[in-house]
Amino acid sequence: MSEYCRLIRHQGNQNLFQAVEMSVASLVNGQPFHIQAEGLRGTGKTSIIRAAKALLPPITRIKNCVYNCDPVKPHCPLHRHLAAEKIELLGVEQVPRPFLEISQAAKIGTIVGSIDLAKLTDRQNPLAALLPGTIPQAHRGIIFIDEVNRLVDTSPELADVLLDVMGTKPGRVQIEEPGMPVVELPVNVCVWAASNPDEDPGALSTIRKQLADRFDITIAMGRPDSAQAVINILAGQNGNRLPVNVVRSVSCHLENTILSEAVRQLLAKLYIDYNLESLRTVTAMETAARLVALQAGRTEAGLAELVQVAPWALAHRVNENTLAAIMEYLNGQQAELPAVALPVTEPVTAFAKKTISRWTALWYSLKRRVATLLQGQLRMPGCGRSSRGGGGAQFVDPLHTKIIAPPKSAIPLSQLPDEQLVTRNSKPHV
Ligand SMILES: [Zn+2]
């Protein structure tokens, strides 16, 4: 525990601390909650994630079951058909909750499962048996994938496995070996991943959108925002005790914290009005808001919780304009509520600060107003793009105008490096 407590919390990383704590609380309640941390290298993503292993409470399993069978709900091929009396005879044991990593060099066989060669080549009792891979062995625990964007880019087949594991809750994994019956297992695991979208091959949402959508929330990792935070990091001492909200959230029942009816209706409205592609967007917001309320010791999640988690659930699923518009709408809703109804929450997260800058929100708001003004003058109702006929003036709908910014800001000619003074538009003929 001490390693996790010693890590310094600052404006740039506090959301990731909260996210891993939310995921652990959800897992303890039997529901996977998948999180991805995006950020520059050296910002401490993997340190926080690996240290969070200390938060995991142990599990009770059927003795020696490598699939981590819950004695009350056995699921593995060896135990799922056994009666309760037989399981009692086998005995139970308490073991650390799994925290397993999938490396960049991972192969399907080691991740999913393969033939157990040790049993197959046993001279006394040769047996064709399956050896469960990392994912089945992580049942009821955490799977961590560092640089998930690179892994998905180089191993699309592993991405397919993750789609199955994260597609439903619980997920599923299928073990196939020639000459052996196909074994399908339920897996209840939280997938935690880290990536640096500024390095090749780019953000996960641009490489494998379907997999990015499987992550309930994505947290943008930031740098320390003050000299004092850096001094604290250099001093390396923060404390040895877990914050009260962490202890509370991993020991309470999530089912006792509900979403307010008004916010549920608001989520449905967001889904329809903003044409959100994936239903996972709203279910992730619902669960995340309840987890935040649980951490705060509340029994109901309201608009304040929704405003806090919305950027985490939306950033990897919608474009920047939609994100800005939804946040503008939610903040407007929040402003209409009486002040007493609003619990004190963090201001819009560091991620929101980065993604929805004041200027972005202002620009989007301006575009909407101009679009409204122009709407009456467009000659083709329902077209929504531009007027083409009728001899009237032609207008371009600003909401559908793609703006391409220069890739780099201009610099004075005198400061331009020599090799950039002369450029060519096409490759020379060979
Ligand atoms: Zn078992």
Side-chain angles (χ1 to χ4, degrees):
M1 189 67 71
S2 57
E3 175 60 28
Y4 185 77
C5 296
R6 269 198 291 269
L7 291 171
I8 309 296
R9 296 180 183 227
H10 53 76
Q11 183 74 25
N13 68 12
Q14 64 183 8
N15 290 336
L16 183 56
F17 276 103
Q18 185 167 11
V20 294
E21 289 157 11
M22 287 162 66
S23 186
V24 171
S26 191
L27 181 66
V28 170
N29 278 278
Q31 185 176 342
F33 188 75
H34 310 300
I35 58 175
Q36 186 195 182
E38 284 189 334
L40 298 172
R41 64 179 179 280
T43 44
K45 304 182 292 293
T46 52
S47 300
I48 293 173
I49 287 174
R50 287 189 176 126
K53 180 181 180 180
L55 294 175
L56 300 170
I59 53 169
T60 301
R61 71 175 185 187
I62 295 176
K63 205 164 188 178
N64 298 324
C65 178
V66 288
Y67 297 90
N68 297 324
C69 265
D70 183 342
V72 183
K73 269 193 306 185
H75 71 291
C76 85
L78 298 172
H79 302 125
R80 62 186 165 204
H81 302 301
L82 294 185
E85 302 79 50
K86 287 201 172 176
I87 289 174
E88 204 176 323
L89 285 175
L90 290 173
V92 297
E93 63 183 350
Q94 201 172 64
V95 294
R97 197 170 285 259
F99 182 99
L100 301 176
E101 295 196 26
I102 293 180
S103 75
Q104 296 292 321
K107 298 281 180 280
I108 285 283
T110 54
I111 297 303
V112 174
S114 57
I115 287 183
D116 189 336
L117 289 176
K119 285 185 179 169
L120 194 64
T121 54
D122 186 336
R123 286 170 185 257
Q124 306 299 323
N125 184 26
L127 194 67
L130 285 172
L131 183 69
T134 308
I135 292 172
Q137 289 192 50
H139 182 62
R140 302 166 71 195
I142 306 291
I143 288 176
F144 172 46
I145 310 167
D146 198 9
E147 299 191 84
V148 66
N149 50 343
R150 274 185 56 210
L151 182 78
V152 165
D153 190 49
T154 54
S155 305
E157 67 280 7
L158 283 182
D160 291 337
V161 172
L162 290 173
L163 284 176
D164 275 349
V165 171
M166 301 165 73
T168 49
K169 296 181 179 184
R172 60 186 274 281
V173 68
Q174 197 163 296
I175 311 173
E176 295 178 59
E177 278 290 342
M180 303 272 292
V182 174
V183 176
E184 186 178 310
L185 292 165
V187 276
N188 220 23
V189 294
C190 288
V191 178
W192 293 356
S195 66
N196 179 356
D198 292 320
E199 288 183 354
D200 275 346
L204 181 63
S205 56
T206 61
I207 309 164
R208 198 75 187 261
K209 194 176 175 187
Q210 204 181 2
L211 185 62
D213 180 44
R214 298 286 206 261
F215 286 96
D216 291 290
I217 57 173
T218 293
I219 300 293
M221 186 74 176
R223 300 161 64 242
D225 60 325
S226 67
Q228 187 57 49
V230 180
I231 290 168
N232 291 343
I233 291 169
L234 294 174
Q237 191 64 40
N238 199 26
N240 281 309
R241 297 181 63 183
L242 273 182
V244 175
N245 65 326
V246 179
V247 179
R248 179 169 47 215
S249 66
V250 299
S251 55
C252 289
H253 293 292
L254 180 59
E255 64 194 20
N256 293 338
T257 300
I258 60 167
L259 192 71
S260 80
E261 185 53 36
V263 172
R264 181 170 289 112
Q265 288 182 17
L266 194 59
L267 279 177
K269 184 174 166 53
L270 289 182
Y271 180 76
I272 299 296
D273 290 358
Y274 292 91
N275 201 22
L276 299 179
E277 195 175 316
S278 168
L279 266 175
R280 287 193 180 89
T281 313
V282 283
T283 54
M285 280 197 271
E286 189 253 358
T287 308
R290 286 171 58 214
L291 286 166
V292 168
L294 180 76
Q295 289 179 323
R298 298 195 190 97
T299 53
E300 186 174 271
L303 186 56
E305 285 80 12
L306 182 65
V307 169
Q308 184 183 345
V309 303
W312 303 346
L314 289 166
H316 55 299
R317 293 182 166 108
V318 301
N319 63 40
E320 192 178 334
N321 282 348
T322 307
L323 176 59
I326 292 176
M327 292 313 297
E328 186 185 18
Y329 174 74
L330 288 179
N331 284 320
Q333 295 288 308
Q334 202 171 22
E336 287 176 13
L337 288 179
V340 288
L342 292 175
V344 179
T345 58
E346 296 295 334
V348 178
T349 61
F351 178 86
K353 279 185 180 169
K354 177 185 165 193
T355 310
I356 326 161
S357 69
R358 199 154 52 97
W359 294 111
T360 305
L362 182 65
W363 169 238
Y364 190 81
S365 165
L366 184 65
K367 282 206 297 181
R368 282 210 312 172
R369 287 196 180 113
V370 173
T372 309
L373 283 173
L374 291 180
Q375 229 168 14
Q377 301 177 50
L378 294 175
R379 299 280 181 183
M380 296 174 69
C383 173
R385 287 187 181 273
S386 63
S387 168
R388 293 186 184 280
Q394 295 193 359
F395 297 104
V396 175
D397 180 348
L399 285 183
H400 292 89
T401 307
K402 189 174 181 185
I403 297 169
I404 301 171
K408 290 179 184 170
S409 53
I411 55 174
L413 201 61
S414 58
Q415 294 176 16
L416 206 62
D418 290 348
E419 64 272 16
Q420 290 182 19
L421 282 171
V422 178
T423 60
R424 62 177 80 232
N425 290 327
S426 56
K427 291 180 181 174
H429 294 289
V430 180

